[in-house]
Coordinates of all heavy atoms in Angstrom, one line a residue:
M1 N -32.0 -51.2 -15.0 CA -30.7 -51.8 -15.5 C -31.0 -52.9 -16.5 O -31.9 -53.7 -16.2 CB -29.9 -52.3 -14.3 CG -28.5 -52.7 -14.7 SD -27.5 -53.3 -13.4 CE -27.0 -51.9 -12.6
S2 N -30.4 -52.9 -17.6 CA -30.6 -54.0 -18.6 C -30.2 -55.3 -18.0 O -29.4 -55.4 -17.1 CB -29.9 -53.6 -19.9 OG -28.5 -53.9 -19.7
S3 N -30.7 -56.3 -18.7 CA -30.4 -57.7 -18.3 C -28.9 -58.0 -18.4 O -28.3 -58.6 -17.5 CB -31.2 -58.7 -19.2 OG -30.8 -60.0 -18.9
V4 N -28.3 -57.5 -19.5 CA -26.8 -57.7 -19.7 C -26.1 -57.0 -18.6 O -25.1 -57.5 -18.1 CB -26.4 -57.3 -21.1 CG1 -24.9 -57.4 -21.3 CG2 -27.1 -58.2 -22.2
G5 N -26.5 -55.7 -18.4 CA -25.8 -54.9 -17.4 C -25.9 -55.5 -16.0 O -24.9 -55.5 -15.2
K6 N -27.1 -56.0 -15.7 CA -27.3 -56.7 -14.4 C -26.4 -57.9 -14.2 O -25.8 -58.1 -13.2 CB -28.7 -57.0 -14.2 CG -29.1 -57.5 -12.8 CD -30.6 -57.8 -12.6 CE -31.2 -56.5 -12.4 NZ -32.6 -56.6 -12.0
K7 N -26.3 -58.7 -15.3 CA -25.5 -59.9 -15.3 C -24.0 -59.5 -15.1 O -23.3 -60.2 -14.3 CB -25.6 -60.7 -16.5 CG -26.9 -61.5 -16.6 CD -27.0 -62.3 -17.9 CE -28.4 -63.0 -18.0 NZ -28.5 -63.7 -19.2
L8 N -23.6 -58.5 -15.8 CA -22.2 -58.0 -15.7 C -21.9 -57.5 -14.3 O -20.9 -57.9 -13.7 CB -21.9 -56.9 -16.7 CG -20.5 -56.3 -16.6 CD1 -19.4 -57.4 -16.9 CD2 -20.4 -55.2 -17.6
F9 N -22.8 -56.8 -13.7 CA -22.7 -56.2 -12.3 C -22.6 -57.4 -11.3 O -21.7 -57.4 -10.4 CB -23.8 -55.3 -12.0 CG -23.7 -54.7 -10.6 CD1 -22.8 -53.7 -10.3 CD2 -24.5 -55.1 -9.6 CE1 -22.7 -53.2 -9.1 CE2 -24.4 -54.6 -8.3 CZ -23.5 -53.7 -8.1
N10 N -23.5 -58.4 -11.5 CA -23.4 -59.5 -10.6 C -22.1 -60.3 -10.7 O -21.6 -60.8 -9.7 CB -24.6 -60.4 -10.8 CG -25.9 -59.8 -10.3 OD1 -25.9 -59.0 -9.4 ND2 -27.0 -60.2 -10.9
Q11 N -21.6 -60.4 -11.9 CA -20.4 -61.1 -12.1 C -19.2 -60.4 -11.4 O -18.4 -61.0 -10.8 CB -20.1 -61.3 -13.6 CG -18.8 -62.0 -13.9 CD -18.7 -63.4 -13.5 OE1 -19.7 -64.1 -13.4 NE2 -17.5 -63.8 -13.2
L12 N -19.2 -59.0 -11.6 CA -18.1 -58.2 -11.0 C -18.1 -58.3 -9.5 O -17.1 -58.2 -8.9 CB -18.2 -56.8 -11.5 CG -18.0 -56.6 -13.0 CD1 -18.2 -55.1 -13.3 CD2 -16.6 -57.0 -13.3
K13 N -19.3 -58.4 -8.9 CA -19.3 -58.5 -7.4 C -19.3 -59.9 -6.8 O -19.3 -60.0 -5.6 CB -20.6 -57.7 -6.9 CG -21.9 -58.4 -7.1 CD -23.0 -57.6 -6.5 CE -24.3 -58.4 -6.6 NZ -25.4 -57.8 -5.9
S14 N -19.1 -60.9 -7.7 CA -19.1 -62.3 -7.2 C -17.8 -62.6 -6.5 O -16.7 -62.0 -6.8 CB -19.3 -63.2 -8.4 OG -18.1 -63.2 -9.2
P15 N -17.8 -63.5 -5.5 CA -16.6 -63.9 -4.8 C -15.5 -64.5 -5.8 O -14.3 -64.3 -5.6 CB -17.1 -65.0 -3.8 CG -18.5 -64.7 -3.7 CD -19.0 -64.1 -5.0
E16 N -16.0 -65.2 -6.8 CA -15.0 -65.7 -7.8 C -14.2 -64.6 -8.5 O -13.0 -64.8 -8.7 CB -15.8 -66.6 -8.8 CG -16.4 -67.9 -8.3 CD -17.8 -67.6 -7.7 OE1 -18.4 -66.5 -7.9 OE2 -18.3 -68.5 -7.0
F17 N -14.9 -63.6 -8.9 CA -14.2 -62.5 -9.6 C -13.3 -61.7 -8.6 O -12.2 -61.4 -9.0 CB -15.2 -61.5 -10.2 CG -14.6 -60.4 -11.0 CD1 -14.1 -60.7 -12.3 CD2 -14.5 -59.1 -10.5 CE1 -13.4 -59.8 -13.0 CE2 -13.8 -58.2 -11.3 CZ -13.3 -58.5 -12.6
R18 N -13.7 -61.5 -7.4 CA -12.8 -60.9 -6.4 C -11.6 -61.8 -6.1 O -10.5 -61.2 -6.0 CB -13.6 -60.6 -5.1 CG -14.6 -59.5 -5.2 CD -15.0 -59.0 -3.9 NE -15.6 -60.0 -3.1 CZ -16.9 -60.3 -3.0 NH1 -17.8 -59.6 -3.6 NH2 -17.3 -61.3 -2.2
N19 N -11.8 -63.1 -6.1 CA -10.6 -64.0 -5.9 C -9.7 -63.9 -7.1 O -8.5 -63.9 -7.0 CB -11.1 -65.4 -5.7 CG -11.7 -65.6 -4.3 OD1 -11.4 -64.9 -3.4 ND2 -12.5 -66.7 -4.2
Y20 N -10.3 -63.8 -8.3 CA -9.5 -63.6 -9.5 C -8.7 -62.4 -9.5 O -7.5 -62.4 -9.9 CB -10.4 -63.7 -10.8 CG -9.7 -63.3 -12.0 CD1 -8.8 -64.2 -12.6 CD2 -9.9 -62.1 -12.7 CE1 -8.1 -63.9 -13.8 CE2 -9.3 -61.8 -13.9 CZ -8.4 -62.7 -14.4 OH -7.7 -62.4 -15.6
L21 N -9.3 -61.3 -9.0 CA -8.5 -60.0 -8.9 C -7.4 -60.1 -8.0 O -6.4 -59.3 -8.1 CB -9.5 -58.9 -8.5 CG -10.4 -58.4 -9.6 CD1 -11.3 -57.3 -9.1 CD2 -9.7 -57.9 -10.8
M22 N -7.4 -61.0 -7.0 CA -6.4 -61.1 -6.0 C -5.4 -62.2 -6.4 O -4.5 -62.6 -5.6 CB -7.0 -61.4 -4.6 CG -7.8 -60.2 -4.1 SD -6.8 -58.7 -4.0 CE -7.8 -57.6 -4.8
S23 N -5.5 -62.7 -7.6 CA -4.6 -63.9 -8.0 C -3.5 -63.4 -8.9 O -3.5 -62.4 -9.5 CB -5.5 -64.9 -8.7 OG -5.8 -64.5 -10.0
T24 N -2.5 -64.3 -9.0 CA -1.4 -64.1 -10.0 C -1.9 -64.2 -11.4 O -1.2 -63.7 -12.3 CB -0.3 -65.1 -9.8 OG1 -0.8 -66.4 -9.9 CG2 0.4 -64.9 -8.4
H25 N -3.0 -64.8 -11.6 CA -3.6 -64.9 -13.0 C -4.0 -63.5 -13.5 O -4.1 -63.3 -14.7 CB -4.7 -65.8 -13.1 CG -4.3 -67.2 -12.8 ND1 -3.6 -68.0 -13.7 CD2 -4.5 -68.0 -11.7 CE1 -3.4 -69.2 -13.2 NE2 -3.9 -69.2 -12.0
F26 N -4.3 -62.6 -12.6 CA -4.6 -61.2 -13.0 C -3.4 -60.3 -12.9 O -3.1 -59.6 -13.8 CB -5.7 -60.7 -12.1 CG -6.1 -59.3 -12.3 CD1 -6.9 -59.0 -13.4 CD2 -5.7 -58.2 -11.5 CE1 -7.3 -57.6 -13.7 CE2 -6.0 -56.9 -11.8 CZ -6.8 -56.6 -12.9
W27 N -2.7 -60.3 -11.7 CA -1.6 -59.4 -11.5 C -0.4 -59.7 -12.3 O 0.4 -58.8 -12.6 CB -1.4 -59.2 -10.0 CG -2.5 -58.5 -9.4 CD1 -3.4 -59.0 -8.5 CD2 -2.8 -57.1 -9.5 NE1 -4.3 -58.0 -8.2 CE2 -4.0 -56.9 -8.8 CE3 -2.2 -56.0 -10.2 CZ2 -4.5 -55.6 -8.7 CZ3 -2.8 -54.8 -10.2 CH2 -4.0 -54.6 -9.4
G28 N -0.1 -61.0 -12.6 CA 1.1 -61.4 -13.3 C 1.1 -60.7 -14.7 O 2.1 -60.0 -15.1
P29 N 0.0 -60.9 -15.5 CA 0.0 -60.2 -16.8 C 0.1 -58.7 -16.7 O 0.7 -58.0 -17.5 CB -1.3 -60.7 -17.4 CG -1.6 -62.0 -16.8 CD -1.1 -61.8 -15.4
I30 N -0.6 -58.1 -15.7 CA -0.6 -56.6 -15.5 C 0.9 -56.2 -15.3 O 1.4 -55.2 -15.9 CB -1.5 -56.2 -14.3 CG1 -2.9 -56.5 -14.6 CG2 -1.3 -54.7 -14.0 CD1 -3.6 -55.8 -15.7
A31 N 1.6 -56.9 -14.4 CA 3.0 -56.5 -14.1 C 3.9 -56.8 -15.3 O 4.8 -56.0 -15.6 CB 3.5 -57.3 -12.9
N32 N 3.6 -57.8 -16.0 CA 4.4 -58.2 -17.2 C 4.3 -57.1 -18.3 O 5.2 -56.8 -19.0 CB 4.1 -59.5 -17.7 CG 5.1 -60.1 -18.6 OD1 6.3 -59.9 -18.3 ND2 4.7 -60.9 -19.6
W33 N 3.1 -56.5 -18.4 CA 2.9 -55.5 -19.4 C 3.5 -54.1 -19.0 O 3.7 -53.2 -19.8 CB 1.4 -55.3 -19.8 CG 1.0 -56.3 -20.8 CD1 0.3 -57.4 -20.6 CD2 1.3 -56.2 -22.2 NE1 0.1 -58.1 -21.8 CE2 0.7 -57.3 -22.8 CE3 1.9 -55.3 -23.0 CZ2 0.8 -57.6 -24.2 CZ3 2.0 -55.5 -24.4 CH2 1.4 -56.6 -25.0
G34 N 3.7 -54.0 -17.7 CA 4.2 -52.8 -17.1 C 5.6 -52.4 -17.7 O 6.0 -51.3 -17.9
I35 N 6.5 -53.4 -17.9 CA 7.8 -53.2 -18.3 C 7.9 -52.6 -19.7 O 8.5 -51.5 -19.9 CB 8.7 -54.5 -18.2 CG1 8.8 -55.0 -16.8 CG2 10.0 -54.4 -18.8 CD1 9.3 -56.4 -16.6
P36 N 7.2 -53.2 -20.7 CA 7.3 -52.6 -22.0 C 6.6 -51.3 -22.1 O 7.0 -50.4 -22.8 CB 6.7 -53.6 -23.0 CG 6.0 -54.6 -22.1 CD 6.6 -54.5 -20.8
L37 N 5.5 -51.1 -21.3 CA 4.8 -49.8 -21.3 C 5.6 -48.7 -20.7 O 5.6 -47.6 -21.3 CB 3.4 -50.0 -20.6 CG 2.4 -50.8 -21.2 CD1 1.2 -51.0 -20.4 CD2 2.0 -50.3 -22.6
A38 N 6.4 -49.0 -19.7 CA 7.3 -48.1 -19.1 C 8.4 -47.7 -20.1 O 8.8 -46.5 -20.2 CB 7.9 -48.6 -17.8
A39 N 8.9 -48.7 -20.8 CA 9.9 -48.4 -21.8 C 9.4 -47.5 -23.0 O 10.1 -46.6 -23.4 CB 10.5 -49.8 -22.4
L40 N 8.2 -47.8 -23.4 CA 7.6 -47.0 -24.4 C 7.3 -45.5 -23.9 O 7.5 -44.6 -24.7 CB 6.2 -47.6 -24.9 CG 6.4 -48.8 -25.7 CD1 5.0 -49.4 -26.0 CD2 7.0 -48.5 -27.1
A41 N 7.0 -45.4 -22.7 CA 6.8 -44.1 -22.1 C 8.1 -43.3 -22.0 O 8.1 -42.1 -22.1 CB 6.1 -44.2 -20.7
D42 N 9.2 -44.0 -21.9 CA 10.5 -43.3 -21.8 C 11.2 -43.2 -23.1 O 12.4 -42.7 -23.1 CB 11.4 -44.1 -20.8 CG 11.0 -44.0 -19.4 OD1 10.1 -43.2 -19.1 OD2 11.5 -44.8 -18.5
I43 N 10.6 -43.6 -24.2 CA 11.3 -43.6 -25.5 C 11.8 -42.3 -25.9 O 12.9 -42.2 -26.6 CB 10.4 -44.3 -26.5 CG1 11.3 -45.0 -27.6 CG2 9.5 -43.3 -27.2 CD1 10.6 -46.2 -28.2
N44 N 11.2 -41.2 -25.5 CA 11.7 -39.9 -26.0 C 12.6 -39.2 -24.9 O 13.0 -38.1 -25.1 CB 10.5 -39.0 -26.3 CG 9.9 -39.4 -27.6 OD1 10.5 -39.9 -28.5 ND2 8.5 -39.3 -27.6
K45 N 12.9 -39.9 -23.8 CA 13.7 -39.3 -22.8 C 15.2 -39.4 -23.2 O 15.6 -40.2 -24.0 CB 13.5 -39.9 -21.4 CG 12.1 -39.6 -20.9 CD 12.0 -40.1 -19.5 CE 10.6 -39.7 -18.9 NZ 10.3 -40.3 -17.6
D46 N 16.0 -38.6 -22.6 CA 17.4 -38.6 -22.9 C 18.1 -39.9 -22.6 O 17.9 -40.5 -21.5 CB 18.1 -37.5 -22.0 CG 19.5 -37.2 -22.4 OD1 20.2 -38.1 -23.1 OD2 20.0 -36.1 -22.1
P47 N 18.8 -40.5 -23.6 CA 19.3 -41.9 -23.4 C 20.5 -41.9 -22.4 O 20.8 -43.0 -21.9 CB 19.9 -42.2 -24.8 CG 19.7 -41.1 -25.7 CD 18.9 -40.0 -24.9
K48 N 20.9 -40.8 -21.9 CA 22.0 -40.8 -20.9 C 21.5 -41.4 -19.6 O 22.2 -41.8 -18.7 CB 22.6 -39.5 -20.7 CG 21.7 -38.5 -20.0 CD 22.4 -37.1 -19.8 CE 21.5 -36.1 -19.1 NZ 22.1 -34.8 -19.1
Y49 N 20.1 -41.5 -19.4 CA 19.6 -42.1 -18.2 C 19.3 -43.6 -18.3 O 18.9 -44.2 -17.3 CB 18.2 -41.3 -17.9 CG 18.4 -39.9 -17.6 CD1 18.0 -38.9 -18.4 CD2 19.1 -39.5 -16.4 CE1 18.2 -37.6 -18.2 CE2 19.4 -38.1 -16.1 CZ 18.9 -37.2 -17.0 OH 19.1 -35.9 -16.8
I50 N 19.6 -44.2 -19.4 CA 19.4 -45.6 -19.6 C 20.5 -46.3 -18.9 O 21.7 -46.1 -19.2 CB 19.3 -46.0 -21.1 CG1 18.1 -45.3 -21.7 CG2 19.2 -47.5 -21.2 CD1 18.1 -45.4 -23.3
S51 N 20.2 -47.3 -18.1 CA 21.2 -48.1 -17.5 C 21.3 -49.4 -18.3 O 20.4 -50.2 -18.3 CB 20.8 -48.5 -16.0 OG 21.6 -49.5 -15.5
S52 N 22.5 -49.5 -19.0 CA 22.7 -50.7 -19.8 C 22.7 -52.0 -19.0 O 22.2 -53.0 -19.4 CB 23.9 -50.6 -20.7 OG 25.0 -50.4 -19.9
K53 N 23.3 -51.9 -17.8 CA 23.4 -53.1 -16.9 C 22.0 -53.6 -16.5 O 21.7 -54.7 -16.5 CB 24.3 -52.8 -15.7 CG 25.7 -52.7 -16.0 CD 26.5 -52.4 -14.8 CE 28.0 -52.2 -15.1 NZ 28.8 -51.8 -13.9
M54 N 21.2 -52.6 -16.1 CA 19.8 -52.9 -15.7 C 19.0 -53.4 -16.8 O 18.2 -54.4 -16.7 CB 19.2 -51.7 -15.0 CG 17.7 -52.0 -14.5 SD 17.7 -53.3 -13.3 CE 18.3 -52.4 -11.9
T55 N 19.1 -52.8 -18.0 CA 18.4 -53.2 -19.2 C 18.7 -54.6 -19.6 O 17.8 -55.5 -19.8 CB 18.7 -52.3 -20.4 OG1 18.3 -50.9 -20.0 CG2 17.9 -52.7 -21.6
V56 N 20.0 -55.0 -19.6 CA 20.4 -56.3 -20.0 C 19.9 -57.3 -18.9 O 19.4 -58.4 -19.2 CB 22.0 -56.4 -20.1 CG1 22.4 -57.9 -20.2 CG2 22.4 -55.6 -21.3
A57 N 20.1 -57.0 -17.6 CA 19.6 -57.9 -16.6 C 18.1 -58.1 -16.6 O 17.6 -59.3 -16.5 CB 20.0 -57.3 -15.2
C58 N 17.3 -57.1 -16.9 CA 15.9 -57.2 -17.0 C 15.5 -58.1 -18.2 O 14.6 -59.0 -18.0 CB 15.2 -55.9 -17.1 SG 15.2 -55.0 -15.5
H59 N 16.1 -57.8 -19.3 CA 15.8 -58.6 -20.5 C 16.2 -60.1 -20.3 O 15.4 -61.0 -20.7 CB 16.5 -58.1 -21.7 CG 15.8 -56.8 -22.2 ND1 14.5 -56.8 -22.8 CD2 16.2 -55.6 -22.3 CE1 14.2 -55.6 -23.1 NE2 15.2 -54.8 -22.9
F60 N 17.3 -60.3 -19.7 CA 17.8 -61.7 -19.5 C 16.8 -62.4 -18.5 O 16.4 -63.6 -18.8 CB 19.2 -61.7 -18.9 CG 19.8 -63.0 -18.7 CD1 20.2 -63.8 -19.7 CD2 19.8 -63.5 -17.4 CE1 20.8 -65.1 -19.4 CE2 20.4 -64.8 -17.1 CZ 20.8 -65.6 -18.1
T61 N 16.5 -61.8 -17.5 CA 15.6 -62.4 -16.5 C 14.2 -62.7 -17.1 O 13.6 -63.7 -16.9 CB 15.4 -61.5 -15.2 OG1 16.7 -61.3 -14.7 CG2 14.5 -62.1 -14.2
N62 N 13.6 -61.7 -17.8 CA 12.3 -61.8 -18.4 C 12.3 -62.9 -19.4 O 11.4 -63.8 -19.5 CB 11.8 -60.5 -19.0 CG 10.4 -60.6 -19.3 OD1 9.6 -61.2 -18.7 ND2 10.0 -59.9 -20.4
E63 N 13.3 -62.9 -20.3 CA 13.4 -64.0 -21.3 C 13.5 -65.3 -20.7 O 12.8 -66.3 -21.2 CB 14.7 -63.7 -22.2 CG 14.8 -64.6 -23.4 CD 13.8 -64.3 -24.5 OE1 13.3 -63.2 -24.6 OE2 13.6 -65.2 -25.3
G64 N 14.4 -65.5 -19.7 CA 14.5 -66.8 -19.1 C 13.2 -67.3 -18.4 O 12.8 -68.4 -18.6
A65 N 12.6 -66.4 -17.7 CA 11.3 -66.7 -17.1 C 10.2 -67.1 -18.1 O 9.5 -68.1 -17.9 CB 10.8 -65.6 -16.2
Q66 N 10.1 -66.3 -19.2 CA 9.1 -66.6 -20.2 C 9.4 -67.9 -20.9 O 8.5 -68.6 -21.3 CB 9.0 -65.4 -21.2 CG 8.5 -64.1 -20.6 CD 7.1 -64.3 -20.0 OE1 6.3 -65.1 -20.5 NE2 6.8 -63.5 -19.0
L67 N 10.7 -68.2 -21.2 CA 11.0 -69.5 -21.8 C 10.7 -70.7 -20.9 O 10.2 -71.7 -21.4 CB 12.5 -69.5 -22.2 CG 12.8 -68.7 -23.4 CD1 14.3 -68.6 -23.6 CD2 12.2 -69.2 -24.7
V68 N 10.9 -70.5 -19.6 CA 10.5 -71.6 -18.6 C 9.0 -71.8 -18.7 O 8.5 -72.9 -18.7 CB 11.0 -71.3 -17.2 CG1 10.4 -72.2 -16.2 CG2 12.5 -71.4 -17.1
Q69 N 8.2 -70.7 -18.7 CA 6.8 -70.8 -18.7 C 6.3 -71.4 -20.0 O 5.4 -72.2 -20.0 CB 6.2 -69.4 -18.5 CG 6.3 -68.8 -17.1 CD 5.7 -69.6 -16.1 OE1 6.1 -70.7 -15.7 NE2 4.6 -69.1 -15.6
L70 N 6.9 -71.0 -21.1 CA 6.6 -71.6 -22.4 C 6.8 -73.1 -22.4 O 6.0 -73.9 -22.9 CB 7.3 -71.0 -23.5 CG 7.0 -71.5 -24.9 CD1 5.6 -71.4 -25.3 CD2 7.9 -70.8 -26.0
G71 N 8.0 -73.5 -21.9 CA 8.3 -75.0 -21.8 C 7.3 -75.7 -20.9 O 6.8 -76.8 -21.3
R72 N 6.9 -75.1 -19.8 CA 5.9 -75.8 -18.9 C 4.5 -75.9 -19.6 O 3.9 -76.9 -19.5 CB 5.7 -74.9 -17.7 CG 6.9 -75.0 -16.8 CD 6.8 -74.1 -15.5 NE 5.7 -74.7 -14.7 CZ 4.8 -73.9 -14.0 NH1 4.8 -72.6 -14.1 NH2 3.9 -74.5 -13.3
C73 N 4.2 -74.9 -20.4 CA 2.9 -74.9 -21.1 C 2.9 -75.9 -22.2 O 1.9 -76.7 -22.3 CB 2.7 -73.5 -21.7 SG 1.1 -73.4 -22.7
I74 N 4.0 -76.0 -23.0 CA 4.1 -77.0 -24.0 C 4.1 -78.4 -23.4 O 3.4 -79.3 -23.9 CB 5.4 -76.8 -24.8 CG1 5.3 -75.6 -25.7 CG2 5.7 -78.1 -25.7 CD1 6.5 -75.1 -26.3
K75 N 4.8 -78.6 -22.3 CA 4.8 -80.0 -21.6 C 3.4 -80.3 -21.2 O 2.9 -81.4 -21.4 CB 5.8 -79.9 -20.5 CG 5.9 -81.3 -19.7 CD 6.9 -81.2 -18.6 CE 7.0 -82.5 -17.9 NZ 5.8 -83.0 -17.2
Y76 N 2.7 -79.4 -20.5 CA 1.4 -79.7 -20.0 C 0.4 -79.9 -21.2 O -0.4 -80.9 -21.1 CB 0.9 -78.5 -19.2 CG -0.6 -78.7 -18.7 CD1 -0.9 -79.5 -17.7 CD2 -1.6 -78.0 -19.4 CE1 -2.2 -79.6 -17.2 CE2 -2.9 -78.2 -19.0 CZ -3.2 -79.0 -17.9 OH -4.5 -79.2 -17.5
N77 N 0.4 -79.1 -22.2 CA -0.6 -79.2 -23.3 C -0.3 -80.3 -24.3 O -1.3 -80.8 -25.0 CB -0.8 -77.9 -24.0 CG -1.6 -76.9 -23.1 OD1 -2.7 -77.2 -22.7 ND2 -1.0 -75.8 -22.8
Y78 N 0.9 -80.7 -24.5 CA 1.2 -81.6 -25.6 C 1.9 -82.9 -25.1 O 1.5 -84.0 -25.5 CB 2.1 -80.9 -26.6 CG 1.5 -79.7 -27.2 CD1 1.8 -78.4 -26.8 CD2 0.4 -79.9 -28.1 CE1 1.2 -77.3 -27.4 CE2 -0.2 -78.8 -28.7 CZ 0.1 -77.5 -28.3 OH -0.5 -76.4 -28.8
V79 N 2.9 -82.8 -24.2 CA 3.5 -84.0 -23.7 C 2.7 -84.8 -22.7 O 2.4 -86.0 -22.9 CB 4.9 -83.7 -23.1 CG1 5.6 -84.9 -22.6 CG2 5.8 -83.0 -24.2
D80 N 2.3 -84.1 -21.7 CA 1.5 -84.8 -20.6 C 0.2 -85.3 -21.1 O -0.3 -86.4 -20.8 CB 1.3 -83.9 -19.4 CG 2.6 -83.5 -18.7 OD1 3.6 -84.2 -18.9 OD2 2.6 -82.6 -17.9
K81 N -0.5 -84.5 -22.0 CA -1.8 -85.0 -22.5 C -1.7 -86.2 -23.4 O -2.6 -87.1 -23.4 CB -2.5 -83.8 -23.2 CG -2.9 -82.7 -22.3 CD -4.1 -82.0 -22.7 CE -4.4 -81.0 -21.6 NZ -5.5 -80.2 -21.7
K82 N -0.6 -86.3 -24.2 CA -0.4 -87.5 -25.0 C -0.2 -88.7 -24.1 O -0.7 -89.8 -24.4 CB 0.8 -87.3 -26.0 CG 0.5 -86.4 -27.1 CD 1.6 -86.3 -28.1 CE 1.2 -85.4 -29.3 NZ 2.3 -85.2 -30.2
E83 N 0.6 -88.5 -23.1 CA 0.8 -89.6 -22.2 C -0.5 -90.0 -21.5 O -0.7 -91.2 -21.3 CB 1.9 -89.2 -21.1 CG 3.3 -89.1 -21.6 CD 4.3 -88.6 -20.6 OE1 3.9 -88.3 -19.5 OE2 5.4 -88.4 -21.0
E84 N -1.3 -89.1 -21.1 CA -2.6 -89.4 -20.5 C -3.5 -90.1 -21.5 O -4.2 -91.0 -21.1 CB -3.2 -88.0 -20.0 CG -4.5 -88.2 -19.3 CD -5.1 -86.9 -18.9 OE1 -4.4 -86.1 -18.3 OE2 -6.3 -86.7 -19.2
E85 N -3.5 -89.7 -22.7 CA -4.3 -90.3 -23.8 C -3.9 -91.8 -24.0 O -4.7 -92.7 -24.1 CB -4.3 -89.6 -25.1 CG -5.0 -88.3 -25.0 CD -4.7 -87.4 -26.3 OE1 -4.0 -87.9 -27.2 OE2 -5.3 -86.3 -26.3
Q86 N -2.6 -92.0 -23.9 CA -2.0 -93.4 -24.1 C -2.4 -94.3 -22.9 O -2.8 -95.4 -23.1 CB -0.5 -93.4 -24.2 CG -0.1 -92.8 -25.5 CD 1.4 -92.6 -25.6 OE1 2.1 -92.7 -24.6 NE2 1.9 -92.3 -26.8
V87 N -2.4 -93.7 -21.7 CA -2.8 -94.5 -20.5 C -4.3 -94.8 -20.6 O -4.7 -95.9 -20.3 CB -2.5 -93.7 -19.2 CG1 -3.2 -94.3 -18.0 CG2 -1.0 -93.6 -19.0
V88 N -5.1 -93.9 -21.0 CA -6.6 -94.1 -21.2 C -6.8 -95.2 -22.2 O -7.7 -96.0 -22.1 CB -7.3 -92.8 -21.5 CG1 -8.8 -93.1 -21.8 CG2 -7.2 -91.9 -20.3
A89 N -6.1 -95.1 -23.4 CA -6.3 -96.0 -24.5 C -5.9 -97.5 -24.0 O -6.5 -98.4 -24.4 CB -5.5 -95.6 -25.7
V90 N -4.9 -97.6 -23.2 CA -4.4 -98.9 -22.7 C -5.5 -99.5 -21.7 O -5.7 -100.7 -21.7 CB -3.0 -98.8 -22.1 CG1 -2.7 -100.1 -21.4 CG2 -2.0 -98.5 -23.1
A91 N -6.0 -98.6 -20.9 CA -7.0 -99.1 -19.9 C -8.3 -99.4 -20.5 O -8.8 -100.3 -20.8 CB -7.2 -98.0 -18.8

């Protein structure tokens, strides 16, 4: 087995990687991509089977959740870090 292959194999069997596979950092994005992939798979099916109430509810819920996550990300990366830098500069 090549050196690169052996390193990859060792990484895949590591406890850290197994913990990552069991985390929301792995399954969250997988599940999030499932919705648009399912919609693309159904694109040629008869539109009479589309539930407008379910479609609106799913889009509303997903949009709301993603906006909350974006806000948290911006706060963490830009607002909180600036405050932390100011505290360090004062000290």
